[in-house]
Amino acid sequence: MEELINRLKSGTYTKDDLVSALNIPDEEKFMPLFNLSEQICEEYFGKGVFIRGIIEYSNKCRKNCNYCGIRRGNEKVLRYLIKPEEIYKVAEKLKAQGVMTLVLQGGEDAESDPMLLDVIKQIRTKYEMAITISIGERPFEVYKQFKEAGADRFLLRIETTNPVLFKALHPDDDLEYRKKCLLWLKELGYQVGTGIMTGLPGQTMEMIAGDLLYFKELQPAMLGIGPFLPHEDTPLGNEKPKELFLTLKVLALIRIMLKNVNLPATTAMGTLDKDGRKKAMMYGANVFMPNYTPAPYRESYLLYDNKICVKEDCSNLCAGGIIKSAGKFVAQGRGDYKSF
Ligand code: 5AD
Ligand code: SF4
């Protein structure tokens, strides 16, 4: 164990080392690695946690990912597209609360791109805040238009880097194209966020170790990691989620491997375990993303069952409480990625 920790510390680890670390059976045995992760986090970020306000602006989606509650095949979903005026209202609220990042997330709804481009331009000129978009796959030219309109950051999870698992989950997608999108986004100067789901049906520790090595090579600005959670109206609706511990192990290993990367305590972690986000912030997460989607739309953006923060209006207040309970505080500023 000591040797494993030393190799992880010095960056001389192998893929087998990552598998061994992922296979550590209980939290107590993993604790030295959780502690190392948090120590590295504090070296780079102190005890500050950046807040990013997220609006789920559209739940329309042209894709049919097998895990996702808003996949196009789910006819029970009431589809919406939030009006620009409502988005500006949220931007104003964020500004008033000192939140410096707005995340616009949607299903893969390319038809709404002209509206979204306009919204980004407006926000860029009216409010001084970082804009992140999470809108799925597009051609290079479209990514370029969004960058020129003023988007600073882009989230596009790879979900898994294992070709067989990727194909089994994504009837419409090609892993190589997804990877190409991430390289384009980097080339265009976005701060790029990617990530995976942990505990996917059929996912092995070897596959996750492969994902970690891919992250090491890509050097993204942000990594969003969340446990897979079933949604009843999807092909994976009867699958069981794995325990939060696996997700926390992945989070800690990423912090140890990639040091200064932005790591959010995700909503899915909080859904799987009521203390999920708190634990994530105790073991290396430095970002929190409260849901700012206007209330009536939230219940139509259910990617998985029992999603938290849908009924309750937990925006910044709730975030502050959880951050404090993890022994941290709300950091000021945009929280841009800094390479060292
Ligand atoms: N469980 C957990 N996460 C999910 N996502 C989509 N569906 C699920 C699910 N059933 C995640 C994906 C996607 C992000 C926006 O939400 O990782 O990239
Ligand atoms: Fe659409 Fe994204 Fe859900 Fe896939 S994961 S179905 S692209 S919203």
Side-chain angles (χ1 to χ4, degrees):
M1 182 71 184
E2 211 164 294
E3 281 170 22
L4 174 63
I5 294 176
N6 283 337
R7 286 199 294 277
L8 285 167
K9 244 185 187 165
S10 60
T12 54
Y13 50 83
T14 61
K15 187 170 178 182
D16 283 345
D17 286 332
L18 297 174
V19 174
S20 301
L22 288 165
N23 276 324
I24 292 176
D26 58 66
E27 298 202 15
E28 205 183 305
K29 288 213 180 68
F30 199 87
M31 203 44 84
L33 289 170
F34 281 144
N35 290 337
L36 176 60
S37 167
E38 181 51 25
Q39 187 194 322
I40 294 170
C41 184
E42 288 185 27
E43 251 168 58
Y44 286 90
F45 302 101
K47 286 192 180 288
V49 173
F50 292 108
I51 307 262
R52 329 275 204 210
I54 179 162
I55 308 181
E56 295 144 343
Y57 74 94
S58 167
N59 69 352
K60 300 182 186 182
C61 189
R62 62 186 175 190
K63 293 204 169 154
N64 219 15
C65 307
N66 285 335
Y67 44 81
C68 178
I70 63 168
R71 64 205 297 271
R72 70 162 188 270
N74 187 359
E75 288 172 4
K76 290 190 191 166
V77 177
L78 200 68
R79 303 287 166 173
Y80 68 80
L81 171 66
I82 299 185
K83 295 233 159 17
E85 289 66 35
E86 288 184 272
I87 299 177
Y88 303 144
K89 253 193 228 157
V90 174
E92 239 152 63
K93 189 166 150 188
L94 288 173
K95 194 83 197 169
Q97 295 181 350
V99 178
M100 304 282 282
T101 298
L102 171 64
V103 182
L104 292 159
Q105 183 171 82
E108 212 173 285
D109 175 23
E111 282 175 24
S112 306
D113 284 356
M115 181 210 99
L116 192 62
L117 276 166
D118 202 49
V119 165
I120 291 168
K121 284 178 198 155
Q122 292 285 333
I123 293 175
R124 170 64 50 236
T125 45
K126 268 204 209 126
Y127 311 92
E128 229 169 278
M129 52 171 63
I131 302 171
T132 303
I133 50 177
S134 175
I135 61 174
E137 295 181 355
R138 297 289 190 283
F140 178 87
E141 281 309 315
V142 176
Y143 284 152
K144 187 157 175 256
Q145 283 175 355
F146 277 107
K147 186 75 181 57
E148 285 164 359
D152 306 275
R153 309 181 186 143
F154 201 109
L155 305 181
L156 178 66
R157 286 192 185 169
I158 195 85
E159 315 295 0
T160 172
T161 60
N162 180 274
V164 178
L165 184 58
F166 187 94
K167 196 72 224 159
L169 296 171
H170 302 106
D172 313 287
D173 289 325
D174 175 63
L175 177 61
E176 291 311 309
Y177 186 77
R178 179 77 53 103
K179 286 184 177 170
K180 197 149 82 181
C181 286
L182 287 164
L183 291 179
W184 284 340
L185 292 164
K186 268 199 116 171
E187 183 187 328
L188 284 164
Y190 284 98
Q191 292 175 47
V192 174
T194 185
I196 55 165
M197 278 179 286
T198 43
L200 286 161
Q203 188 183 44
T204 64
M205 297 308 125
E206 284 72 19
M207 291 178 190
I208 296 179
D211 299 337
L212 293 173
L213 292 174
Y214 169 74
F215 297 154
K216 182 77 189 160
E217 191 187 313
L218 183 70
Q219 292 283 328
M222 186 269 208
L223 280 168
I225 308 300
F228 156 77
L229 300 166
H231 184 292
E232 60 179 352
D233 301 316
T234 65
L236 301 180
N238 290 323
E239 299 289 341
K240 295 275 164 290
K242 301 275 186 305
E243 57 201 345
L244 180 73
F245 179 42
L246 172 62
T247 306
L248 294 175
K249 284 191 279 191
V250 173
L251 180 97
L253 288 172
I254 289 173
R255 174 63 73 212
I256 293 167
M257 292 169 71
L258 283 98
K259 318 283 182 208
N260 56 325
V261 70
N262 282 312
L263 272 178
T266 56
T267 307
M269 294 176 185
T271 301
L272 182 57
D273 178 321
K274 70 171 176 28
D275 291 326
R277 290 177 296 182
K278 172 183 164 183
K279 286 185 188 162
M281 286 186 282
M282 289 169 65
Y283 301 149
N286 72 312
V287 171
F288 194 101
M289 299 168 72
N291 189 350
Y292 278 82
T293 306
Y297 304 108
R298 285 189 195 185
E299 58 193 68
S300 297
Y301 203 89
L302 302 179
L303 305 181
Y304 41 79
D305 293 331
N306 309 313
K307 185 175 168 202
I308 52 167
C309 311
V310 170
K311 292 266 175 338
E312 54 280 46
D313 185 24
C314 61
S315 43
N316 220 357
L317 273 177
C318 164
I322 301 172
I323 291 168
K324 225 172 143 185
S325 76
K328 300 213 169 173
F329 61 83
V330 174
Q332 300 305 307
R334 290 168 34 130
D336 285 302
Y337 177 70
K338 294 189 188 78
S339 44
F340 290 87

